[in-house]
Amino acid sequence: MSTDTSNHAPTVTADPGPTEPQVDMDVLMSFVFRAVDEVGATLNAALVVLGDKLGYYRDLAAHGPTTPAELAERTGTAEPYAREWLNAQAAGQYLTYDPATTRYTLPPEQAIALTEEDSPAFLPGLFQLALGTVHDMDHVLDAARNGGGFGWHEHVTDVHDGCERFFRPSYNAALVAEWLPALDGVVGKLQAGALVADVGCGHGASTVLMAQAFPQSRFIGYDYHPESIATARRRAVDAGVSDRVTFEIASADDMPREGFDLVTMFDCLHDMGDPVGAAEQVRAALAPDGTWMVVEPMAGDHVEDNLNPVGRAYYGFSTLLCTPASLSQDVGLALGTQAGPARIRDVATAGGFTRFASVAETPFNRVLEIRP
């Protein structure tokens, strides 16, 4: 009788490791050409600001089909710059080009968007804001690495001027005609004579608009940025409303008065380091039946709600401008530009408010009515 004492080791199969992803070359090249287009779009932000500041768009709107030499002569600029700018604008379909006449034309629709500052479609302010924001990229890089922030007041002037030029046309079109009437009982108070605080007023565009529409009311604009307050004071004088408008250098946490019938915040709550503290301050400053109107960038409550062109632009501003601004302040909650109404509701509730409603919107803004 024999015994088999040999060992039978199990068969081991080597782990092949992760499977190499299959690359679709058509998809890859499509992305490459999309990226090239985006580089052109990035450069175009500067070109739009250049065309706005040199008067190129206004000249084209006034004179119709134009050659580079004609544009340069009329605007007092060098022809090589006018020529290359025109070609870039034609390549981006901002202008049309006629090879037979070698002339460039600004279509009427683009003329509205690029030259009519009172139109809600006016765009150069948005490009100016974007260009100024990108200008300060090195500071944001440092802040991202060390967890710090970069304040609104530290940015170049194009950020401050561009922000007002972008939002002001929407305020002109909707603030008095649609947004204030959407608030329960507010217009009647303003017509009779109310006390209003415009917090984060910047250059005072919203404050002056309300003062022009409601001469019986009194308005106080607050902003922590001294240069913006100086501009706002000049704007009030120019608009003839300085008898009922004052502007003070103060943050949302330092509002020194109480008994306000209306407190407004336009496109600034998400920039604040301590929005809950600001909400508490507003709650204390409001009259018992007062209203807090918050106008915020248009956003949904979930990331997937904001994966669209407007959301993309606002997420960009949030990364480079608004989030660093919040992180430069005490608390540094960093709500982000696309916080969405649910997060704003949480801020308001934490600040002592009990009533909250979304009452109006545009493609770029959402208007919130918040009550004690």
Side-chain angles (χ1 to χ4, degrees):
M1 180 177 180
S2 65
T3 302
D4 185 358
T5 59
S6 63
N7 294 324
H8 297 278
T11 302
V12 178
T13 302
D15 183 357
T19 303
E20 191 73 21
Q22 296 298 310
V23 175
D24 185 320
M25 293 304 297
D26 290 338
V27 173
L28 171 60
M29 293 312 299
S30 176
F31 177 75
V32 167
F33 282 111
R34 176 189 166 195
V36 170
D37 189 51
E38 300 239 330
V39 171
T42 301
L43 295 169
N44 192 54
L47 294 174
V48 170
V49 173
L50 185 147
D52 176 53
K53 291 186 175 184
L54 292 180
Y56 284 169
Y57 293 121
R58 293 185 294 276
D59 183 271
L60 288 162
H63 293 94
T66 295
T67 66
E70 292 167 345
L71 179 64
E73 181 178 3
R74 290 195 301 258
T75 58
T77 59
E79 183 178 345
Y81 288 97
R83 180 192 67 228
E84 297 307 299
W85 181 86
L86 286 165
N87 288 333
Q89 295 294 279
Q93 299 180 0
Y94 278 51
L95 306 178
T96 60
Y97 174 67
D98 184 351
T101 63
T102 67
R103 291 180 177 274
Y104 303 78
T105 301
L106 180 65
E109 296 79 10
Q110 279 91 318
I112 292 172
L114 295 167
T115 68
E116 295 188 11
E117 295 216 18
D118 291 334
S119 169
F122 183 69
L123 292 174
L126 180 61
F127 283 97
Q128 186 179 4
L129 173 59
L131 186 64
T133 298
V134 172
H135 179 276
D136 293 320
M137 178 70 178
D138 286 346
H139 298 288
V140 179
L141 275 171
D142 290 341
R145 288 178 174 134
N146 63 36
F150 189 69
W152 174 265
H153 62 286
E154 298 178 276
H155 284 278
V156 295
T157 303
D158 274 336
V159 168
H160 310 134
D161 292 346
C163 184
E164 184 205 11
R165 294 182 76 208
F166 171 52
F167 284 115
R168 186 181 62 214
S170 294
Y171 300 165
N172 286 342
L175 174 54
V176 174
E178 299 174 17
W179 296 351
L180 290 172
L183 305 174
D184 185 19
V186 166
V187 168
K189 292 180 182 179
L190 291 169
Q191 291 171 335
L195 181 61
V196 181
D198 190 8
V199 179
C201 64
H203 290 176
S206 51
T207 326
V208 168
L209 275 172
M210 291 187 290
Q212 289 173 317
F214 302 103
Q216 301 304 313
S217 291
R218 292 263 307 153
F219 300 86
I220 305 174
Y222 296 103
D223 201 288
Y224 87 102
H225 187 221
E227 290 81 2
S228 290
I229 288 295
T231 298
R233 287 169 176 163
R234 291 193 298 270
R235 299 284 174 81
V237 171
D238 293 343
V241 296
S242 57
D243 60 324
R244 53 190 178 273
V245 175
T246 58
F247 290 101
E248 299 181 10
I249 301 171
S251 69
D253 295 332
D254 299 324
M255 290 170 57
R257 308 191 186 202
E258 57 185 25
F260 288 103
D261 300 292
L262 174 66
V263 174
T264 60
M265 290 186 184
F266 293 88
D267 295 291
C268 65
L269 181 64
H270 63 274
D271 294 307
M272 296 179 183
D274 184 12
V276 173
E280 292 172 344
Q281 185 67 21
V282 172
R283 179 68 181 85
L286 273 177
D289 62 343
T291 300
W292 182 22
M293 181 173 77
V294 174
V295 179
E296 278 286 288
M298 175 54 67
D301 289 324
H302 307 96
V303 170
E304 58 268 28
D305 299 332
N306 304 318
L307 302 183
N308 52 60
V310 172
R312 184 188 186 200
Y314 279 153
Y315 276 130
F317 283 122
S318 189
T319 307
L320 300 174
L321 181 63
C322 304
T323 296
S326 178
L327 290 171
S328 73
Q329 304 166 55
D330 291 341
V331 180
L333 188 61
L335 280 176
T337 309
Q338 295 287 268
R343 292 195 71 193
I344 303 301
R345 179 195 290 269
D346 290 342
V347 167
T349 301
F353 290 88
T354 62
R355 289 178 284 173
F356 183 97
S358 178
V359 296
E361 61 183 52
T362 72
F364 297 112
N365 284 112
R366 184 189 301 276
V367 182
L368 305 167
E369 179 182 28
I370 305 172
R371 304 289 296 276

